[in-house]
Amino acid sequence: MLFTVPPLAGHVNPTVAVGAELAARGHEIAWAGPASALTRLLPAQARILPAGEDAGGGYSALHERWRDLRGVGALRFLWEEALVPLARAMVPGVERAVRAFGPDVLVADQQALAGPLVARRLGVPWATSASTSAELTRPFADFPKVGEWVAGQISGLLAEFGDAAAESGGWDPRFSERLVLVFSTPELVGTAGDLPVHHAYVGPAFGARPASPGFPWQRLDPARRRVLVSLGTLNQEAGARFYGAVLGAAERLAGEVQFVLAAPSALIGPVPGHVLLQESVPQLELLPHLDAVVCHAGHNTVCEALAHGLPLVVAPIRDDQPIVARQVVEAGAGIRVRFGRTRAEELRDALTAVLDDPGPRRAARRIQASFAAAGGAAAAADRLEKLL
């Protein structure tokens, strides 16, 4: 089985877990994508087939221009500057990978559009890896013109690669007609019964992560409740104002809560003793020691927190994050605050609510149970094996 992925951790991580499960069952596994980036994101023993190397470095660096965009501007940038150029760059390498590796099934991340383009051209069965559920929830239902524009981007890409179906509306490389692996559950997504039968809710799949620098575990305060604050890897530079609100909330809750803040020290400056500031944290290992999470509503961070039964305060920035934040709030597992305009008092009140009100924790634990029942990587592997 061949996984095609973009050079982004949140999209690669689920495939690591599924790939490991498939390998344990005796299948031969490989990944195709920008090799230099994938080398940092995949286990040392992973087989990587280069595709789109030139675009990969630029793709990862695009956030310098993308980080301050919002709404439709961010969406246009995503398609015009990232998804379509990456597809163009990856197609030749993916085609070489398919011809050399000979996969029985290709598994394509929704942002690695080259995978379905090549699979369809060469007649290889393919499945979708939906690393976020946002695309499955009719995100443009209230904005039909935006949806038409996205459809136009897809049709243009199909036509560029000679797909005869492009002129008649074509097909959608974001969604396999045979299998879509949804790394979530209806308890979070809120679309029970709304998806086709070939969309499989398998819950989150957590794979091995690269080793993190030493974390000062001895500094975790057993006398305080502990909260992680993380904006993920691509949003930190945009968070200067938000970090100010975090420090203000930390000051107001100093007697009750210890903040573990994952952020660049250059953006934060000096912090009080009850705030543990780290450039990066071993998130999966840290979560069992926490009481809540404050984040940007990135799908991976949200699912990792909920998999540990932790309520959330979500401050979405762009892309799928407002949709994921809405899912959290509608499921009752957290509170949404404004990323760009949050005041210290608002953040303090939201955090106090999710820590003190048993409702968000009950909802988080209900979702946690649904994740466990869904099966994760093992369930995804089961579904992929049925395509063989």
Side-chain angles (χ1 to χ4, degrees):
M1 298 197 189
L2 177 67
F3 292 91
T4 57
V5 291
L8 296 172
H11 296 257
V12 173
N13 286 343
T15 72
V16 173
V18 178
E21 177 67 24
L22 289 166
R25 299 182 184 192
H27 299 289
E28 191 175 354
I29 311 300
W31 282 261
S36 59
L38 297 190
T39 299
R40 298 190 299 271
L41 298 172
L42 290 167
Q45 72 276 13
R47 181 175 180 180
I48 300 172
L49 305 174
E53 186 62 33
D54 291 343
Y59 192 84
S60 300
L62 284 176
H63 75 277
E64 293 290 339
R65 297 158 53 202
W66 158 84
R67 68 187 182 197
D68 295 322
L69 297 175
R70 302 288 185 273
V72 174
L75 179 71
R76 289 183 66 91
F77 187 89
L78 176 67
W79 278 94
E80 294 178 340
E81 303 293 333
L83 300 188
V84 171
L86 184 67
R88 289 192 189 111
M90 283 182 61
V91 161
V94 172
E95 185 161 341
R96 287 192 298 271
V98 169
R99 293 188 185 281
F101 185 62
D104 298 291
V105 175
L106 184 147
V107 185
D109 180 88
Q110 285 187 310
Q111 287 196 6
L113 304 177
L117 286 170
V118 173
R120 186 177 172 95
R121 176 188 294 173
L122 299 182
V124 178
W126 63 281
T128 296
S129 172
S131 53
T132 174
S133 58
E135 292 281 6
L136 310 175
T137 60
R138 301 178 65 239
F140 308 124
D142 297 328
F143 307 97
K145 293 295 185 183
V146 177
E148 291 172 9
W149 182 85
V150 171
Q153 294 295 303
I154 293 170
S155 295
L157 182 65
L158 298 182
E160 183 177 338
F161 285 92
D163 193 304
E167 294 183 6
S168 60
W171 54 285
D172 196 329
R174 296 172 299 173
F175 305 105
S176 167
E177 295 178 351
R178 300 189 63 177
L179 175 62
V180 177
L181 296 172
V182 185
F183 293 102
S184 188
T185 60
E187 285 75 11
L188 176 58
V189 177
T191 57
D194 292 341
L195 296 181
V197 294
H198 69 285
H199 287 56
Y201 283 110
V202 298
F206 304 133
R209 305 288 170 83
S212 298
F215 182 81
W217 297 100
Q218 72 282 359
R219 289 190 56 194
L220 292 179
D221 187 349
R224 291 182 171 95
R225 290 179 290 183
R226 296 178 289 274
V227 172
L228 171 66
V229 180
S230 172
L231 297 181
T233 55
L234 296 180
N235 302 294
Q236 294 175 334
E237 292 85 352
R241 190 184 187 286
F242 187 77
Y243 291 138
V246 169
L247 293 177
E251 180 182 356
R252 289 160 174 79
L253 294 170
E256 310 164 49
V257 178
Q258 181 182 32
F259 282 63
V260 180
L261 178 54
S265 56
L267 280 180
I268 306 300
V271 297
H274 69 286
V275 174
L276 178 51
L277 174 63
Q278 293 288 115
E279 296 277 341
S280 63
V281 299
Q283 190 159 291
L284 285 177
E285 293 83 359
L286 181 61
L287 287 168
H289 303 274
L290 302 176
D291 296 280
V293 172
V294 178
C295 71
H296 60 305
H299 193 263
N300 272 9
T301 300
V302 163
C303 287
E304 288 173 8
L306 293 173
H308 289 82
L310 298 177
L312 293 133
V313 174
V314 287
I317 306 171
R318 66 177 72 78
D319 300 332
D320 66 325
Q321 296 158 18
I323 296 172
V324 175
R326 185 177 71 236
Q327 292 175 1
V328 170
V329 173
E330 290 181 352
I335 293 175
R336 177 175 177 167
V337 297
R338 303 164 297 177
F339 176 77
R341 293 179 290 167
T342 299
R343 295 174 290 106
E345 294 80 9
E346 180 184 2
L347 189 55
R348 174 203 60 197
D349 292 346
L351 193 50
T352 299
V354 300
L355 287 170
D356 292 346
D357 183 346
R361 186 167 296 277
R362 280 198 300 266
R365 288 176 175 166
R366 183 181 70 250
I367 297 169
Q368 177 187 30
S370 78
F371 284 177
D382 290 344
R383 295 300 295 255
L384 287 169
E385 286 183 323
K386 291 179 181 178
L387 298 182
L388 295 173

